[in-house]
Amino acid sequence: MSNLGLGQSQKKYQDMVSQTIEVSLIDLYGINGYKSIIQTMMKECDKSEKEVTENYELFSNLIQKIFGKIGDSKILEPIKMEINKIQNIDIISHT
């Protein structure tokens, strides 16, 4: 696969991760809860909403730093399950 193809694939994955994070947080905490969580994270790392939601590693580190163990179990676990589904679908579609 060319570098262009890899870049497009990575961008598509980042978009899917971002959308999964957004939808999961809104489902769990409503739009106001989502905004509050994301704004807190943006202030903590001085990055944009898109930068926070597209980078799962950054997102999870911030959740753990800001919310501790409760954030890990109440916020990250449901999102991890959804992202694992995306990864499994992506693996299946490439075989």
Side-chain angles (χ1 to χ4, degrees), residues 20-31 34 82:
T20 300
I21 289 171
E22 292 169 13
V23 168
S24 295
L25 286 177
I26 291 169
D27 283 350
L28 291 168
Y29 302 103
I31 191 69
Y34 167 80
E82 292 301 316

Side-chain angles (χ1 to χ4, degrees), residues 61-79:
N61 288 337
L62 288 168
I63 289 291
Q64 292 169 347
K65 182 177 182 180
I66 296 167
F67 300 103
K69 290 183 181 181
I70 291 175
D72 194 37
S73 63
K74 299 288 185 182
I75 298 172
L76 288 180
E77 285 302 318
I79 293 171

Side-chain angles (χ1 to χ4, degrees), residues 80-95:
K80 283 180 196 175
M81 290 190 307
E82 292 301 316
I83 289 175
N84 285 338
K85 289 178 188 176
I86 292 169
Q87 290 172 336
N88 289 338
I89 290 169
D90 193 43
I91 290 170
I92 291 169
S93 69
H94 285 100
T95 56

Side-chain angles (χ1 to χ4, degrees), residues 36-50:
S36 177
I37 290 168
I38 292 298
Q39 286 174 350
T40 302
M41 296 171 85
M42 289 167 48
K43 287 178 188 174
E44 182 68 31
C45 69
D46 199 30
K47 298 206 181 276
S48 71
E49 177 180 353
K50 202 67 169 165

